[in-house]
Amino acid sequence: MSEPPKPSAEFLSEAQEVIEAFSRNLLQLDTQQRTGEFDPDLLNAAFRAIHSLKGLAGLFGATQISSLAHALESTLDSLRLGRLPLSQPALDVLFEAVEVFQNMLAVFGLEETEGAVSADPLLHRIAALSPDAEEEDGAGDIVGLDPAILGVLTEYEEHRLRENVRLGRRLYRVHAAFDLLAIDVGIESLKGKLKEFGEVITYLPSADAGSDDRIELDILLGSEATLAAIGAGVAEDGVRVYALGDSPSDAPEARPGPPVVEPSNPTPVPSVSLTADDGIEMVDASTSMSLRSISQTVRVDLERLDVLMNLVGELALVQANLSGTLESVRALARSADVSRELQTHLRTMDRKLSLLQQSILDVRMVPLGQVFDKLARVVRKLGREAGKDIRLVITGADTELDKLIVEELSDPLMHMIRNCIDHGIETEAERTSLGKGPSGHIELRAFQKGNRVVIEVEDDGRGMDWRLIRDKAVERGVVAESESREMARQEVIDLIFVPGFSTKDVATEVSGRGVGMDVVKTNIARLSGLIDVDTAPGRGSKFSITLPVTLAIIQALVIETARQTFCIPLNSVLESIMVSEADIETVEGHEVVSLRGKTLPILHLSRIFELQTNYRYLDPARIYVVIVGLAQHRVGIVVDELLGQQDVVIKPLGRALRGVPGIAGATELGGGRTVLLLDVSVLVEEALGRSDGGPTDSGPAASSVNGSEAAHA
Amino acid sequence: MPEPNEDIWDQMVQAGDAFATEEDYEHGYARVVRVDLQQHVVFRVGDETYGIPIAQIGEISKPMYTTPVPRTADFVLGIGNVRGVVIPIVDLATRLRLGQCHKAREARVLIVRHGGEQTGLLVDEVIGVMSIAPENLEEAPGALAGARGDFIRALARWEGRIIIILDLGTLLAPADFLALGVRRASGRGGRS
């Protein structure tokens, strides 16, 4: 079972978190850089993240990581001091660093792979970035600012100050007093308000400290707003705003901050660290400079959660057994009081148990943003490699899914995104000639729909022409020509999920060859999800993935057929109907029933699973049919009995039996019974894919494959 | 989750014959302790005697209720539930082409561990635990041909009997667990 976490495991998870934060900062910077103006705080945050990483890596002896972080730190420092312009090439290097860090982390702790990831090429590129020469400095004094103030500013602050002046902003001094006990809260709230007006350049402690339990601060603010507007915005106790610079009478108001810790030293210091230059700034942003964990979260091994989950599942069984006992107690004479009491307790336990179950499920839930962030990096990288300008719009990144599902999703999503960039989005020239905007759009959407989560990947590229798909499918031998003529549009489009199908003839580095949407579909199906595609030539394509929210505990419909009990995941059950034998018709050897004007194929578990050689309906007038599937893919499963709904804990079958088609796992019902859970997506596929008449000896799974093999020939 | 008595079991197994027992001292001498003896659980399937190294056996239990699993090979009895863990149960007689295990009073299920997973083997009778010296083991006998030969790792001689030491790797090859028609079909997707 799970071992106690080693120090290196701690390091890995924390470093991972820092790198992810760094990557998010970069992505935001990247978007802002395109629009021209960026938030300097983002650069600061990126700088701090790398600084933490350096410290962290040093602590755990990850020298490679720490030396790369060191090099990056200098670069980021130059960037935030404006000595180096924030350009796309610079961002390229930073994004590359994210990848290199992750590769380094992947091999960290494996001794034999020491040096498997080389940072040298990246280090060269970092070195090439560094500013050529000292730029012209001191471009004029800042009008009206007391030299004494200038003197206590750090190089960074001075840079921001000049930057604000260059942007034509006005400078303000905001004087505020805070209660010593609530100073951090007070500063944060004031800072938040001020940020709406412009940039907070620095905090200076004020000389005239009134009392012992109050601290007065001067805040230097660069803003485009007027004095009155700012004054109104920060109307708080003890906050006064003065304009600096243009009015001489205001100038003396800007008192120098006497308790200077740092010697006034405006000359450029290479690698300025963010150590606080006065005691008060320590309270502010620099707290995150410490090696304390950045996040408030605890990382837990999934295996440990699985253990908890199993325990809860078993508790639920005990509870079910107790309910059984209650029934027997009730049957006893003169036990009315006892049984009533027992029932009350049982009911309470039941409620608590479901709460416990729900909380454990919640713990397993992580936001999809984790994957989306990775995808955003991929979009940027691939877009630049393909020479296409691509805007990625992400919505619903906070939609939560089971951790396991999120992990398993990243590869399929990555593949779909690659397809969008490689096949979907046209080149800039092509787009312009078509009257589309020069940059392509990819939208990544996630939202919850009932007890399922839908993820959509939509691009505004060239889309897919179903006629071309049909021709290609015939050419590739995926379908026979005669067959293809009878296929509906959607059926044809679904052919892209057939193994070996690819519409683009040129294999590119991006999408590669051989693996395609069929792999994506298989991966999604393994998560009991479904994938649909909608496309229009010239307008783009939309892929929708529908997934259950969680895998571990599901609601199941318990059914019985041929005296065997099975569970069907309730989230794939659409409804249950009752028909009589006369309602079952035969179309080309397939048994079908009609439901509200639609014909749907039915299947007998007893036949496809060969449970009983001579299956007979228990009552030909009352045949239960469970309708499963999604959207257009519907199949009816004939069962003998519907035994009810139940929450079940899915247990894996182990390596040997994992490959049984149509069986997704096992679960325990009360009374120590182990029953099988049906894999509905496979059964639906078998029922729809079966092209020859009726069941054969080789079983339906085999025949569905033979069907497509025959089409290949 | 390890249980306390499992730990003791493991320790005993690891120590093997390195322990001298009280019985040994009772007779006034310390037994010459051999540390190279290999302990095997010996059991009967049909008329033949088999052995599996004791380290590969997690526990021995009475036959439990199994749920049949469709589309599996004939030797797969189904799945059983061993303290919350679902494991496949194999009828060893069918697997070894010796007919079927008779679920008589003596029948037992050996829970074996192989490749990090547990499997239950239904046998007709567990005879006991024996220590085999290496010189009495004949590794990978070449003379035995056929499918059953693949399951044999070694032959051992013990008190005049020949004991067949089974090879769990081939005996429990996952590909063999599926029914024939299904096996061919499921090769398509390539499970990663």
Side-chain angles (χ1 to χ4, degrees), chain A residues 107-152:
Chain A
V107 300
F108 179 73
L110 315 172
E111 282 152 41
E112 69 275 19
T113 50
E114 187 58 42
V117 179
S118 170
D120 290 349
L122 182 60
L123 282 173
H124 285 308
R125 292 184 55 193
I126 293 174
L129 272 184
S130 45
D132 322 321
E134 291 299 314
E135 284 169 36
E136 84 290 6
D137 201 15
D141 280 330
I142 294 161
V143 192
L145 202 62
D146 194 314
I149 287 189
L150 264 183
V152 297

Side-chain angles (χ1 to χ4, degrees), chain A residues 266-338:
Chain A
T267 53
V269 186
S271 176
V272 178
S273 72
L274 245 190
T275 39
D277 47 357
D278 57 52
I280 286 164
E281 200 182 320
M282 283 294 279
V283 181
D284 183 45
S286 337
T287 37
S288 52
M289 291 290 294
S290 77
L291 274 176
R292 278 175 43 199
S293 292
I294 292 174
S295 70
Q296 284 290 317
T297 55
V298 178
R299 292 199 171 215
V300 184
D301 195 329
L302 261 189
E303 261 183 41
R304 294 196 194 180
L305 282 183
D306 285 342
V307 171
L308 277 182
M309 193 67 117
N310 274 328
L311 280 175
V312 172
E314 278 157 33
L315 269 183
L317 285 181
V318 175
Q319 208 262 344
N321 289 338
L322 278 176
S323 306
T325 315
L326 174 66
E327 291 304 313
S328 356
V329 170
R330 255 194 208 146
L332 295 175
R334 283 180 293 133
S335 65
D337 286 351
V338 182

Side-chain angles (χ1 to χ4, degrees), chain A residues 578-639:
Chain A
M578 196 171 65
V579 299
S580 73
E581 197 169 3
D583 295 331
I584 300 177
E585 291 162 288
T586 315
V587 176
E588 290 180 15
H590 297 271
E591 283 185 315
V592 297
V593 290
S594 294
L595 176 65
R596 291 189 286 275
K598 280 199 164 181
T599 306
L600 47 106
I602 59 170
L603 56 89
H604 296 266
L605 287 182
S606 54
R607 273 183 214 158
I608 62 169
F609 284 164
E610 295 165 28
L611 302 177
Q612 235 176 30
T613 35
N614 285 316
Y615 177 74
R616 286 253 183 90
Y617 297 119
L618 286 184
D619 179 357
R622 299 159 62 88
I623 302 168
Y624 295 106
V625 179
V626 179
I627 315 289
V628 295
L630 260 198
Q632 63 270 48
H633 306 303
R634 289 179 177 192
V635 170
I637 299 178
V638 176
V639 304

Side-chain angles (χ1 to χ4, degrees), chain A residues 651 654-655 661 668 674 686 705, chain B residues 67 71 81 84 115 117 182 188:
Chain A
K651 309 219 166 186
R655 196 172 37 223
E668 271 177 86
T674 308
E686 281 178 10
V705 170
Chain B
T67 304
R71 298 177 168 180
N81 192 325
E117 301 212 12
V182 177
R188 61 187 151 145

Side-chain angles (χ1 to χ4, degrees), chain A residues 1 314 526 564 608-609 651-657 659-661 666 668 674 676 686 698 700-702 705, chain B residues 1 67-72 76 79 81 84 86 88 114-115 117 174 177-178 181-182 185-186 188 191-192:
Chain A
M1 288 259 139
E314 278 157 33
R526 201 175 295 155
Q564 263 206 57
I608 62 169
F609 284 164
K651 309 219 166 186
L653 287 181
R655 196 172 37 223
L657 298 179
V660 179
E668 271 177 86
T674 308
L676 295 168
E686 281 178 10
S698 56
V705 170
Chain B
M1 285 160 287
T67 304
V69 180
R71 298 177 168 180
T72 50
V76 180
I79 48 173
N81 192 325
V86 171
H114 183 261
E117 301 212 12
F177 275 62
L178 300 190
V182 177
S186 64
R188 61 187 151 145
R191 282 158 204 277
S192 56

Side-chain angles (χ1 to χ4, degrees), chain A residues 37 49 65 86 120 168 172-173 194 217 232 253 255 314 445 465 499 508 520 561 607 654 682 685 691:
Chain A
E37 218 177 293
I65 294 178
L86 184 71
D120 290 349
Y172 297 95
R173 180 170 69 88
L194 289 177
L217 280 180
E253 289 279 356
R255 287 189 206 86
E314 278 157 33
R445 273 186 296 264
D465 190 333
T508 68
V520 170
T561 187
R607 273 183 214 158
V682 170
E685 210 168 280
S691 50

Side-chain angles (χ1 to χ4, degrees), chain A residues 656-710:
Chain A
L657 298 179
R658 192 168 47 200
V660 179
I663 304 292
T667 189
E668 271 177 86
L669 296 183
R673 275 183 307 160
T674 308
V675 302
L676 295 168
L677 185 77
L678 300 182
D679 185 340
V680 169
S681 63
V682 170
L683 293 179
V684 169
E685 210 168 280
E686 281 178 10
L688 296 173
R690 186 168 51 198
S691 50
D692 51 335
T696 57
D697 288 339
S698 56
S703 62
S704 84
V705 170
N706 290 345
S708 62
E709 269 168 7

